[in-house]
Amino acid sequence: MNIIFFIRLLQKHLLLLAILPIVMVGVVFFLTQDQPKLYDSSTGIYTGIATGSSIVSLEESKLDLFGTRIAFDNLINLIKTKTTIEEVALRLLAKHLLLDGSTPDVILPKHYAELMELVPEKVKALVVKGNPEKTYRNLLAYKNLDHNNFVYELIHLNHRHYSSKEILKEIKVARVQSSDMVMISFNTDDPGICKNTLDLINEVFVRVYSDIKVNQSDAVVSYFLKEIGNSEDNLNVAEEELVEFNKAHNIINYYEQTRHIASEKEHFDLRYTEIKMNHMAVVSVLRLLENRMTKGNQRRLNSTEILALRKSLSEIEHRIWMKSNYAGVNELSSKQDSTDLVDLKGESMIIEQQLKKMVASQYEMDNSKEGLNGNTILDRWIEKIIEFESSKAQLEVGDQIKIEFDDLFKLYAPLGATMKRLERKIDVAEQKYLSLLESLNKAKLKQQNVELNSNLKIVTPPFFPIEARASKRKFLLIIAFMIGFVIPVFFIIVLEFIDSSIKTVVRAEDMIGMNVLSMFPNLLLKNKNTDLELVKNKTLNVLVRKLLLLKSVNQEDKKTVQVSVFSNQKGEGKSFVFDMLVDRLHNLGYKVLSLQNGNADETKSSTFYNYSITPGFHKIKNISELCGESSQIKKEDFDYVFVELPGIMNDSYPVELVSDSDYSIMFVRANRAWSLADQNSLKDYASVSKEDSIKVLLNGVELPEMETILGDLPKERSFIRRIGKNVLRLRFYTKKNIS
């Protein structure tokens, strides 16, 4: 199987292969004769997603490929969302309805006329002249009334200019390689609509994209502003609690106050111990001095006047020490306190003088009982009395101050824990406030950054297309022609390969399992370029040569060659071929006997004989029994004896006669399939015939297949055809002769 085989296969269906492509081209030509012109336009947008500047960080930004891809996908999908396209379609409709007439830069006259005829009057009434935005709002409100109004159906059905589905079909959005650029292209049958649609896409998309980005950042900033307000209120409440606490407990600086009180308490304790020791010493001295006095003198010193003066002195000393010690402890000294303290000391000195005079007037003894001078004892006693009253007053004041110190410690001890809790509350509120304030600053920076980067730039505005897209009509016609040719060729080749007919020698030997002796052409097919008579004669010559070769390999002592001619089915053409074959052998001078079942032409020569099928036909053993004893035909008188048997699948045949045959030639039509029944029938026949005695003759073969035994068929070929055939066979230097 080679390329010539396929060429010849296609030649058989040349009419079909010529008509179908023409029909397909005609159909496509008719269908595309009113094909509208298409106009293309595009626009470029700079996004800055991958390499745009940032005010959030001053460091060089690192590219996040995955994040960048997601950002571009979001942007592209936002352009192609139904909401965006519907707004574009509705704004385009509003723009066209606002026109007073056709404007080629906006819409072609025929399309404007179609629109005016299509739009009902109640929709036209929604138009506000000179106000595109108001017109758009009116159309949008009308569209949203229900799902059955004109505008809703126009936007959602299949109008080529205003349907969101149709616009979306023709929009192509893609990132330009790995850049920050996004290209949007669109095509339609109106150049003005093409450009204006892209203009509206840019306008709507940029606004929607910016709103989404800014609204996201605004929401974050609003959240932090709200939280900062709440945090500030909480901080103010906590601080106010501390202020009220300080007011309630007269606290200016708790830690300084407690430190001062502790220090004063320590100093007081030292002074109190000294006072107590001095007091005890004075008491001891007084007791010693009084013991040196007489009883009478002691009574005089304890007179009412002296005791009154001592009491007055004690009270004044008490007041003096009260003034002095409270001024030191509470640090509340003032000019008035200093004046009062001087006055009290003056009074104390006066009382001391009075006491001295009173004691002097009442003291009569000159010497003590130990022999001491009385004035000396008196002076010492008065001095110690004064010290006693002073130390006594100091002890009283010290006891009172000690109680007050204890009260202060009892007061300040729990106040410290409360103060810590309030300060911790303030600290927590303050930290939260500062943290929120920092987050707010970051959010505002990000907001500014988003506003900076969401401001998309239209770097390539849509252009007005002045030239229509190249028509695909020629391409479609070529495709139609190719489809009309290729598909039939495909089916022809497929059918050829799945065809179970025998057709060729190779397939016959493969299916039948036996060698093919020869072939005979189908002479019913007319071919003006081929000399069929010459082909028939050459085929008969080949067949005769094959039979002569069979005779030559026969036994030398056996002169006659007996051949059984059979076929599995009727109509295999064996009678037609062997009539010519027997006649050709007879003309060559061979004695041939042809035994046929009522088909022999006995008028030609004596080599033809008709036999009849009788009920005992299958029992016939030899040629004599087949011809009958009265015929006086002897097998030994002939070089070849051919016995034509009926179809062995439908009729019985003489088994012994078959086994006595030297060869059996089975006729098989090339244009039929070989079945399992054929194989079984042949198997039965082979079981009674001699080994390797069955030969196959393929009948009704197509003329190209005959070249396998005859070579090039005798036909008229042009020079170009001969050259082409040699090229396909890779025979570049083939010549007819060498002379």
Side-chain angles (χ1 to χ4, degrees), residues 52-78:
S53 59
S54 173
I55 62 174
V56 175
S57 176
L58 298 179
E59 297 180 0
E60 185 177 353
S61 61
K62 296 181 180 179
L63 291 179
D64 180 4
L65 296 180
F66 184 72
T68 301
R69 189 179 299 117
I70 292 176
F72 272 102
D73 288 343
N74 290 337
L75 186 143
I76 291 172
N77 290 328
L78 184 61

PDB file of all heavy atoms in Angstrom, residues 52-78:
ATOM      1  N   GLY A  52       4.376  50.181  41.649  1.00  0.00           N
ATOM      2  CA  GLY A  52       3.969  51.531  42.021  1.00  0.00           C
ATOM      3  C   GLY A  52       4.644  51.998  43.299  1.00  0.00           C
ATOM      4  O   GLY A  52       5.114  51.206  44.124  1.00  0.00           O
ATOM      5  N   SER A  53       4.718  53.331  43.493  1.00  0.00           N
ATOM      6  CA  SER A  53       5.352  53.892  44.684  1.00  0.00           C
ATOM      7  C   SER A  53       4.461  53.696  45.902  1.00  0.00           C
ATOM      8  O   SER A  53       3.258  53.483  45.790  1.00  0.00           O
ATOM      9  CB  SER A  53       5.619  55.386  44.472  1.00  0.00           C
ATOM     10  OG  SER A  53       4.407  56.067  44.205  1.00  0.00           O
ATOM     11  N   SER A  54       5.078  53.796  47.100  1.00  0.00           N
ATOM     12  CA  SER A  54       4.348  53.593  48.348  1.00  0.00           C
ATOM     13  C   SER A  54       4.835  54.600  49.369  1.00  0.00           C
ATOM     14  O   SER A  54       6.031  54.863  49.487  1.00  0.00           O
ATOM     15  CB  SER A  54       4.558  52.166  48.859  1.00  0.00           C
ATOM     16  OG  SER A  54       3.983  52.011  50.140  1.00  0.00           O
ATOM     17  N   ILE A  55       3.901  55.187  50.139  1.00  0.00           N
ATOM     18  CA  ILE A  55       4.270  56.089  51.227  1.00  0.00           C
ATOM     19  C   ILE A  55       4.192  55.378  52.568  1.00  0.00           C
ATOM     20  O   ILE A  55       4.457  55.974  53.604  1.00  0.00           O
ATOM     21  CB  ILE A  55       3.361  57.336  51.237  1.00  0.00           C
ATOM     22  CG1 ILE A  55       1.898  56.912  51.474  1.00  0.00           C
ATOM     23  CG2 ILE A  55       3.493  58.119  49.967  1.00  0.00           C
ATOM     24  CD1 ILE A  55       0.961  58.088  51.633  1.00  0.00           C
ATOM     25  N   VAL A  56       3.818  54.104  52.546  1.00  0.00           N
ATOM     26  CA  VAL A  56       3.750  53.333  53.791  1.00  0.00           C
ATOM     27  C   VAL A  56       5.144  52.995  54.271  1.00  0.00           C
ATOM     28  O   VAL A  56       5.468  53.060  55.455  1.00  0.00           O
ATOM     29  CB  VAL A  56       2.915  52.050  53.587  1.00  0.00           C
ATOM     30  CG1 VAL A  56       2.950  51.191  54.844  1.00  0.00           C
ATOM     31  CG2 VAL A  56       1.493  52.407  53.224  1.00  0.00           C
ATOM     32  N   SER A  57       6.014  52.620  53.337  1.00  0.00           N
ATOM     33  CA  SER A  57       7.380  52.246  53.693  1.00  0.00           C
ATOM     34  C   SER A  57       8.345  52.945  52.760  1.00  0.00           C
ATOM     35  O   SER A  57       8.131  52.986  51.546  1.00  0.00           O
ATOM     36  CB  SER A  57       7.549  50.721  53.596  1.00  0.00           C
ATOM     37  OG  SER A  57       8.887  50.363  53.837  1.00  0.00           O
ATOM     38  N   LEU A  58       9.407  53.502  53.329  1.00  0.00           N
ATOM     39  CA  LEU A  58      10.419  54.170  52.518  1.00  0.00           C
ATOM     40  C   LEU A  58      11.431  53.192  51.960  1.00  0.00           C
ATOM     41  O   LEU A  58      12.249  53.535  51.117  1.00  0.00           O
ATOM     42  CB  LEU A  58      11.153  55.229  53.359  1.00  0.00           C
ATOM     43  CG  LEU A  58      10.266  56.366  53.901  1.00  0.00           C
ATOM     44  CD1 LEU A  58      11.102  57.318  54.731  1.00  0.00           C
ATOM     45  CD2 LEU A  58       9.573  57.099  52.765  1.00  0.00           C
ATOM     46  N   GLU A  59      11.381  51.915  52.439  1.00  0.00           N
ATOM     47  CA  GLU A  59      12.289  50.914  51.922  1.00  0.00           C
ATOM     48  C   GLU A  59      11.840  50.460  50.544  1.00  0.00           C
ATOM     49  O   GLU A  59      10.671  50.587  50.174  1.00  0.00           O
ATOM     50  CB  GLU A  59      12.325  49.717  52.873  1.00  0.00           C
ATOM     51  CG  GLU A  59      12.851  50.062  54.256  1.00  0.00           C
ATOM     52  CD  GLU A  59      12.854  48.836  55.159  1.00  0.00           C
ATOM     53  OE1 GLU A  59      12.447  47.764  54.670  1.00  0.00           O
ATOM     54  OE2 GLU A  59      13.256  48.965  56.317  1.00  0.00           O
ATOM     55  N   GLU A  60      12.783  49.923  49.806  1.00  0.00           N
ATOM     56  CA  GLU A  60      12.474  49.423  48.466  1.00  0.00           C
ATOM     57  C   GLU A  60      11.530  48.227  48.576  1.00  0.00           C
ATOM     58  O   GLU A  60      11.791  47.277  49.314  1.00  0.00           O
ATOM     59  CB  GLU A  60      13.762  49.009  47.757  1.00  0.00           C
ATOM     60  CG  GLU A  60      13.532  48.580  46.306  1.00  0.00           C
ATOM     61  CD  GLU A  60      14.830  48.236  45.617  1.00  0.00           C
ATOM     62  OE1 GLU A  60      15.890  48.461  46.241  1.00  0.00           O
ATOM     63  OE2 GLU A  60      14.778  47.746  44.485  1.00  0.00           O
ATOM     64  N   SER A  61      10.410  48.291  47.881  1.00  0.00           N
ATOM     65  CA  SER A  61       9.411  47.228  47.981  1.00  0.00           C
ATOM     66  C   SER A  61       9.867  45.983  47.240  1.00  0.00           C
ATOM     67  O   SER A  61      10.546  46.058  46.220  1.00  0.00           O
ATOM     68  CB  SER A  61       8.077  47.708  47.399  1.00  0.00           C
ATOM     69  OG  SER A  61       8.227  48.037  46.034  1.00  0.00           O
ATOM     70  N   LYS A  62       9.487  44.824  47.809  1.00  0.00           N
ATOM     71  CA  LYS A  62       9.792  43.547  47.182  1.00  0.00           C
ATOM     72  C   LYS A  62       8.556  43.043  46.455  1.00  0.00           C
ATOM     73  O   LYS A  62       7.447  43.119  46.973  1.00  0.00           O
ATOM     74  CB  LYS A  62      10.229  42.527  48.237  1.00  0.00           C
ATOM     75  CG  LYS A  62      11.525  42.907  48.946  1.00  0.00           C
ATOM     76  CD  LYS A  62      11.920  41.838  49.963  1.00  0.00           C
ATOM     77  CE  LYS A  62      13.212  42.221  50.672  1.00  0.00           C
ATOM     78  NZ  LYS A  62      13.596  41.205  51.686  1.00  0.00           N
ATOM     79  N   LEU A  63       8.762  42.515  45.250  1.00  0.00           N
ATOM     80  CA  LEU A  63       7.642  42.053  44.445  1.00  0.00           C
ATOM     81  C   LEU A  63       7.124  40.733  44.996  1.00  0.00           C
ATOM     82  O   LEU A  63       7.874  39.786  45.208  1.00  0.00           O
ATOM     83  CB  LEU A  63       8.078  41.870  42.984  1.00  0.00           C
ATOM     84  CG  LEU A  63       8.392  43.157  42.220  1.00  0.00           C
ATOM     85  CD1 LEU A  63       8.824  42.816  40.799  1.00  0.00           C
ATOM     86  CD2 LEU A  63       7.206  44.093  42.196  1.00  0.00           C
ATOM     87  N   ASP A  64       5.834  40.681  45.236  1.00  0.00           N
ATOM     88  CA  ASP A  64       5.157  39.460  45.645  1.00  0.00           C
ATOM     89  C   ASP A  64       4.399  38.943  44.428  1.00  0.00           C
ATOM     90  O   ASP A  64       3.335  39.464  44.080  1.00  0.00           O
ATOM     91  CB  ASP A  64       4.203  39.762  46.805  1.00  0.00           C
ATOM     92  CG  ASP A  64       3.466  38.522  47.274  1.00  0.00           C
ATOM     93  OD1 ASP A  64       3.749  37.428  46.742  1.00  0.00           O
ATOM     94  OD2 ASP A  64       2.609  38.641  48.170  1.00  0.00           O
ATOM     95  N   LEU A  65       4.973  37.944  43.757  1.00  0.00           N
ATOM     96  CA  LEU A  65       4.382  37.480  42.496  1.00  0.00           C
ATOM     97  C   LEU A  65       2.986  36.942  42.708  1.00  0.00           C
ATOM     98  O   LEU A  65       2.071  37.202  41.914  1.00  0.00           O
ATOM     99  CB  LEU A  65       5.286  36.404  41.871  1.00  0.00           C
ATOM    100  CG  LEU A  65       6.692  36.874  41.455  1.00  0.00           C
ATOM    101  CD1 LEU A  65       7.478  35.727  40.857  1.00  0.00           C
ATOM    102  CD2 LEU A  65       6.602  38.028  40.464  1.00  0.00           C
ATOM    103  N   PHE A  66       2.807  36.172  43.776  1.00  0.00           N
ATOM    104  CA  PHE A  66       1.484  35.594  44.033  1.00  0.00           C
ATOM    105  C   PHE A  66       0.474  36.695  44.340  1.00  0.00           C
ATOM    106  O   PHE A  66      -0.644  36.707  43.805  1.00  0.00           O
ATOM    107  CB  PHE A  66       1.580  34.602  45.195  1.00  0.00           C
ATOM    108  CG  PHE A  66       0.298  33.881  45.467  1.00  0.00           C
ATOM    109  CD1 PHE A  66      -0.164  32.899  44.606  1.00  0.00           C
ATOM    110  CD2 PHE A  66      -0.455  34.191  46.591  1.00  0.00           C
ATOM    111  CE1 PHE A  66      -1.351  32.241  44.857  1.00  0.00           C
ATOM    112  CE2 PHE A  66      -1.631  33.538  46.855  1.00  0.00           C
ATOM    113  CZ  PHE A  66      -2.081  32.548  45.981  1.00  0.00           C
ATOM    114  N   GLY A  67       0.873  37.638  45.215  1.00  0.00           N
ATOM    115  CA  GLY A  67      -0.037  38.744  45.544  1.00  0.00           C
ATOM    116  C   GLY A  67      -0.317  39.622  44.340  1.00  0.00           C
ATOM    117  O   GLY A  67      -1.445  40.090  44.147  1.00  0.00           O
ATOM    118  N   THR A  68       0.720  39.859  43.513  1.00  0.00           N
ATOM    119  CA  THR A  68       0.522  40.662  42.301  1.00  0.00           C
ATOM    120  C   THR A  68      -0.442  39.993  41.345  1.00  0.00           C
ATOM    121  O   THR A  68      -1.308  40.643  40.745  1.00  0.00           O
ATOM    122  CB  THR A  68       1.885  40.895  41.608  1.00  0.00           C
ATOM    123  OG1 THR A  68       2.758  41.554  42.512  1.00  0.00           O
ATOM    124  CG2 THR A  68       1.714  41.737  40.361  1.00  0.00           C
ATOM    125  N   ARG A  69      -0.302  38.667  41.206  1.00  0.00           N
ATOM    126  CA  ARG A  69      -1.204  37.939  40.318  1.00  0.00           C
ATOM    127  C   ARG A  69      -2.649  38.037  40.809  1.00  0.00           C
ATOM    128  O   ARG A  69      -3.578  38.228  40.027  1.00  0.00           O
ATOM    129  CB  ARG A  69      -0.760  36.477  40.230  1.00  0.00           C
ATOM    130  CG  ARG A  69      -1.491  35.692  39.160  1.00  0.00           C
ATOM    131  CD  ARG A  69      -1.015  34.260  39.085  1.00  0.00           C
ATOM    132  NE  ARG A  69       0.400  34.201  38.753  1.00  0.00           N
ATOM    133  CZ  ARG A  69       1.315  33.703  39.551  1.00  0.00           C
ATOM    134  NH1 ARG A  69       0.997  33.247  40.747  1.00  0.00           N
ATOM    135  NH2 ARG A  69       2.585  33.659  39.173  1.00  0.00           N
ATOM    136  N   ILE A  70      -2.827  37.922  42.117  1.00  0.00           N
ATOM    137  CA  ILE A  70      -4.180  38.037  42.677  1.00  0.00           C
ATOM    138  C   ILE A  70      -4.734  39.438  42.438  1.00  0.00           C
ATOM    139  O   ILE A  70      -5.915  39.605  42.072  1.00  0.00           O
ATOM    140  CB  ILE A  70      -4.159  37.707  44.180  1.00  0.00           C
ATOM    141  CG1 ILE A  70      -3.852  36.217  44.395  1.00  0.00           C
ATOM    142  CG2 ILE A  70      -5.482  38.066  44.839  1.00  0.00           C
ATOM    143  CD1 ILE A  70      -3.728  35.826  45.845  1.00  0.00           C
ATOM    144  N   ALA A  71      -3.897  40.449  42.630  1.00  0.00           N
ATOM    145  CA  ALA A  71      -4.353  41.832  42.427  1.00  0.00           C
ATOM    146  C   ALA A  71      -4.781  42.066  40.981  1.00  0.00           C
ATOM    147  O   ALA A  71      -5.815  42.701  40.725  1.00  0.00           O
ATOM    148  CB  ALA A  71      -3.241  42.808  42.820  1.00  0.00           C
ATOM    149  N   PHE A  72      -4.003  41.549  40.020  1.00  0.00           N
ATOM    150  CA  PHE A  72      -4.382  41.712  38.616  1.00  0.00           C
ATOM    151  C   PHE A  72      -5.645  40.914  38.289  1.00  0.00           C
ATOM    152  O   PHE A  72      -6.482  41.372  37.502  1.00  0.00           O
ATOM    153  CB  PHE A  72      -3.230  41.290  37.709  1.00  0.00           C
ATOM    154  CG  PHE A  72      -2.260  42.392  37.415  1.00  0.00           C
ATOM    155  CD1 PHE A  72      -1.036  42.455  38.063  1.00  0.00           C
ATOM    156  CD2 PHE A  72      -2.569  43.389  36.507  1.00  0.00           C
ATOM    157  CE1 PHE A  72      -0.139  43.472  37.803  1.00  0.00           C
ATOM    158  CE2 PHE A  72      -1.682  44.415  36.236  1.00  0.00           C
ATOM    159  CZ  PHE A  72      -0.458  44.456  36.894  1.00  0.00           C
ATOM    160  N   ASP A  73      -5.778  39.736  38.869  1.00  0.00           N
ATOM    161  CA  ASP A  73      -7.001  38.953  38.650  1.00  0.00           C
ATOM    162  C   ASP A  73      -8.218  39.697  39.178  1.00  0.00           C
ATOM    163  O   ASP A  73      -9.283  39.729  38.531  1.00  0.00           O
ATOM    164  CB  ASP A  73      -6.888  37.586  39.333  1.00  0.00           C
ATOM    165  CG  ASP A  73      -5.931  36.655  38.613  1.00  0.00           C
ATOM    166  OD1 ASP A  73      -5.622  36.942  37.437  1.00  0.00           O
ATOM    167  OD2 ASP A  73      -5.486  35.666  39.205  1.00  0.00           O
ATOM    168  N   ASN A  74      -8.089  40.293  40.362  1.00  0.00           N
ATOM    169  CA  ASN A  74      -9.195  41.075  40.920  1.00  0.00           C
ATOM    170  C   ASN A  74      -9.552  42.238  40.005  1.00  0.00           C
ATOM    171  O   ASN A  74     -10.733  42.526  39.757  1.00  0.00           O
ATOM    172  CB  ASN A  74      -8.824  41.592  42.306  1.00  0.00           C
ATOM    173  CG  ASN A  74      -8.747  40.482  43.338  1.00  0.00           C
ATOM    174  OD1 ASN A  74      -9.350  39.419  43.159  1.00  0.00           O
ATOM    175  ND2 ASN A  74      -8.012  40.702  44.408  1.00  0.00           N
ATOM    176  N   LEU A  75      -8.524  42.916  39.517  1.00  0.00           N
ATOM    177  CA  LEU A  75      -8.758  44.071  38.655  1.00  0.00           C
ATOM    178  C   LEU A  75      -9.439  43.654  37.352  1.00  0.00           C
ATOM    179  O   LEU A  75     -10.416  44.275  36.917  1.00  0.00           O
ATOM    180  CB  LEU A  75      -7.422  44.767  38.376  1.00  0.00           C
ATOM    181  CG  LEU A  75      -7.453  46.076  37.604  1.00  0.00           C
ATOM    182  CD1 LEU A  75      -6.409  47.025  38.156  1.00  0.00           C
ATOM    183  CD2 LEU A  75      -7.174  45.846  36.127  1.00  0.00           C
ATOM    184  N   ILE A  76      -8.934  42.590  36.724  1.00  0.00           N
ATOM    185  CA  ILE A  76      -9.511  42.131  35.452  1.00  0.00           C
ATOM    186  C   ILE A  76     -10.937  41.648  35.646  1.00  0.00           C
ATOM    187  O   ILE A  76     -11.838  41.949  34.844  1.00  0.00           O
ATOM    188  CB  ILE A  76      -8.616  41.033  34.850  1.00  0.00           C
ATOM    189  CG1 ILE A  76      -7.282  41.635  34.389  1.00  0.00           C
ATOM    190  CG2 ILE A  76      -9.311  40.338  33.681  1.00  0.00           C
ATOM    191  CD1 ILE A  76      -6.248  40.609  33.966  1.00  0.00           C
ATOM    192  N   ASN A  77     -11.170  40.899  36.716  1.00  0.00           N
ATOM    193  CA  ASN A  77     -12.526  40.394  36.972  1.00  0.00           C
ATOM    194  C   ASN A  77     -13.478  41.531  37.300  1.00  0.00           C
ATOM    195  O   ASN A  77     -14.679  41.438  36.994  1.00  0.00           O
ATOM    196  CB  ASN A  77     -12.506  39.378  38.114  1.00  0.00           C
ATOM    197  CG  ASN A  77     -11.838  38.085  37.713  1.00  0.00           C
ATOM    198  OD1 ASN A  77     -11.903  37.678  36.557  1.00  0.00           O
ATOM    199  ND2 ASN A  77     -11.179  37.432  38.650  1.00  0.00           N
ATOM    200  N   LEU A  78     -12.966  42.597  37.930  1.00  0.00           N
ATOM    201  CA  LEU A  78     -13.818  43.746  38.221  1.00  0.00           C
ATOM    202  C   LEU A  78     -14.270  44.423  36.928  1.00  0.00           C
ATOM    203  O   LEU A  78     -15.410  44.883  36.821  1.00  0.00           O
ATOM    204  CB  LEU A  78     -13.058  44.730  39.113  1.00  0.00           C
ATOM    205  CG  LEU A  78     -13.846  45.954  39.589  1.00  0.00           C
ATOM    206  CD1 LEU A  78     -15.040  45.529  40.425  1.00  0.00           C
ATOM    207  CD2 LEU A  78     -12.950  46.887  40.398  1.00  0.00           C
TER     208      LEU A  78
END
